[in-house]
C-alpha cells in the first residue's frame, strides 16, 4: 500500500527543475555577474541538513509555482524565468538536426566518394596538399576522386570565440537566432556552430562537476 512517506523527500523539496541530459539553464543569466552560469542550489532550504549547503554562496530566491517560477540571483539581483530544461534540450536538438546534416568538414566534400566522412585529421594518407586559395588558405585534394577543398574560412571563423558568452546569454533568454545574428554580427550558420560549441562545453562542465563528487 502506498503512503505519502514513500515519496522521496528530495523530489518534493526541489525548488528548481532537474537537469536534462546534463543541461541546466536555470542559473544567473547576467554575463557580468560572478555567478553567471553557476548552477544555484536546486533544493529548498526547509528540512535540508546544514552540511549540504555551501556557506557564503548566495542562494538567490525562487518565487512562484508551476510554469510561473522566477529565480532571482543572490549576487546581482537579476531575475530570470525558470525554464524547463527538457524543452531547451528538445529545441536545441531540433535546431542542431536541421543545420548539421553534413558531417565532418575536413574531409572530401563529394557525396559519392568513399572518403566523404573520413576527416583529414584522422586519415592524412587519403589527401594531398594542392596549392592555396586566393585568400591563402591551404587547399587539399582527395586522392580517391580528386575533389579539392579548403579549411581556411572555417578556422578563421572559430577565432570569434568571445561571442560565446553573448550567444549563451541570448539563447537562455529566448532570443530568436536572427536577433542573435544582429547583435553579434554572426551569420545564422555561425550562431548554430556556437550553440554546438556551447552545448559541448556545458556537457563537459557538468560531467566534470559530477565526476568530482
Ligand atoms: Zn547574478
Ligand atoms: Zn573524394
Amino acid at each position: 500500500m502506498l503512503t505519502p512517506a514513500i515519496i522521496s523527500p528530495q523530489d518534493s523539496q526541489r525548488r528548481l527543475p532537474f537537469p536534462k541530459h546534463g543541461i541546466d539553464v536555470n542559473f544567473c543569466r547576467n554575463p557580468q555577474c560572478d555567478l553567471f552560469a553557476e548552477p544555484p542550489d536546486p533544493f529548498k532550504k526547509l528540512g535540508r541538513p546544514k552540511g549540504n549547503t555551501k556557506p557564503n554562496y548566495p542562494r538567490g530566491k525562487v518565487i512562484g509555482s508551476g510554469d510561473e517560477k522566477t529565480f532571482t540571483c543572490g549576487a546581482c539581483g537579476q531575475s530570470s524565468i525558470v525554464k524547463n530544461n527538457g524543452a531547451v534540450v528538445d529545441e536545441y536538438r531540433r535546431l542542431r538536426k536541421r543545420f548539421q546534416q553534413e558531417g565532418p568538414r575536413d574531409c572530401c566534400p563529394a557525396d559519392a566518394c568513399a572518403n566523404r566522412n573520413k576527416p583529414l585529421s584522422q586519415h592524412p594518407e587519403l589527401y594531398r596538399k594542392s596549392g592555396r586559395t586566393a585568400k591563402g588558405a591551404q587547399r587539399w585534394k582527395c586522392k580517391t576522386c580528386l575533389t579539392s577543398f579548403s579549411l581556411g574560412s572555417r578556422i578563421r571563423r572559430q577565432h570569434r570565440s568571445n561571442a560565446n558568452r553573448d550567444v549563451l546569454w541570448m539563447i537562455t533568454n529566448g532570443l530568436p537566432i536572427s536577433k542573435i545574428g544582429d547583435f553579434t554580427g554572426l551569420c545564422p550558420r555561425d550562431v548554430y556552430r556556437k550553440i554546438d560549441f556551447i552545448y559541448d562545453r556545458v556537457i563537459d562542465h557538468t560531467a566534470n562537476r559530477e565526476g568530482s563528487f
Side-chain angles (χ1 to χ4, degrees), residues 73-91:
C73 174
C76 72
Q78 178 164 309
S79 295
S80 22
I81 291 169
V82 172
K83 298 196 174 178
N84 177 335
N85 293 313
V88 173
V89 171
D90 290 347
E91 175 63 3

Side-chain angles (χ1 to χ4, degrees), residues 108-110 113-116 127 142-147:
C108 177
C113 180
N115 296 346
R116 176 69 184 90
Y127 303 99
C142 171
K143 286 184 187 172
T144 305
C145 72
L146 305 182
T147 301

Side-chain angles (χ1 to χ4, degrees), residues 28-30 33-36 73-78:
C28 175
R29 295 182 193 135
N30 170 11
C33 176
D34 284 346
L35 297 183
F36 174 63
C73 174
C76 72
Q78 178 164 309

Side-chain angles (χ1 to χ4, degrees), residues 7-191:
I7 297 165
S8 155
Q10 243 133 9
D11 292 343
S12 57
Q13 287 177 12
R14 278 189 83 94
R15 56 178 193 157
L16 290 170
F18 281 99
K20 183 84 186 263
H21 297 296
I23 297 290
D24 188 352
V25 297
N26 293 305
F27 42 71
C28 175
R29 295 182 193 135
N30 170 11
Q32 256 71 56
C33 176
D34 284 346
L35 297 183
F36 174 63
E38 286 285 333
D41 185 351
F43 297 102
K44 287 182 183 169
K45 210 174 198 169
L46 265 177
R48 296 201 73 215
K50 271 195 181 121
N52 287 356
T53 51
K54 296 179 194 166
N56 305 323
Y57 191 95
R59 291 170 45 81
K61 260 188 231 155
V62 176
I63 52 163
S65 61
D67 291 338
E68 308 269 288
K69 275 189 189 172
T70 306
F71 168 70
T72 304
C73 174
C76 72
Q78 178 164 309
S79 295
S80 22
I81 291 169
V82 172
K83 298 196 174 178
N84 177 335
N85 293 313
V88 173
V89 171
D90 290 347
E91 175 63 3
Y92 165 76
R93 286 190 165 160
R94 193 184 65 81
L95 295 174
R96 180 175 163 120
K97 210 169 168 185
R98 239 175 85 196
F99 285 83
Q100 258 225 337
Q101 324 95 330
E102 338 80 290
R105 314 228 85 215
D106 60 333
C107 61
C108 177
D111 282 332
C113 180
N115 296 346
R116 176 69 184 90
N117 284 310
K118 293 180 181 167
L120 171 68
S121 47
Q122 287 165 35
H123 304 273
E125 74 284 357
L126 299 175
Y127 303 99
R128 63 179 163 83
K129 288 184 178 178
S130 173
R132 293 193 170 264
T133 65
K135 287 181 177 173
Q138 181 65 55
R139 199 201 304 273
W140 297 86
K141 187 168 268 198
C142 171
K143 286 184 187 172
T144 305
C145 72
L146 305 182
T147 301
S148 296
F149 61 96
S150 69
L151 308 170
S153 55
R154 177 175 178 252
I155 288 158
R156 267 195 298 279
R157 270 200 296 271
Q158 292 194 343
H159 288 166
R160 294 189 210 163
S161 59
N162 55 346
N164 285 340
R165 212 171 62 165
D166 298 340
V167 172
L168 178 59
W169 182 85
M170 291 182 219
I171 293 164
T172 49
N173 282 279
L175 263 82
I177 298 297
S178 58
K179 281 272 184 300
I180 296 178
D182 288 348
F183 287 134
T184 58
L186 295 167
C187 70
R189 191 179 195 94
D190 286 343
V191 173

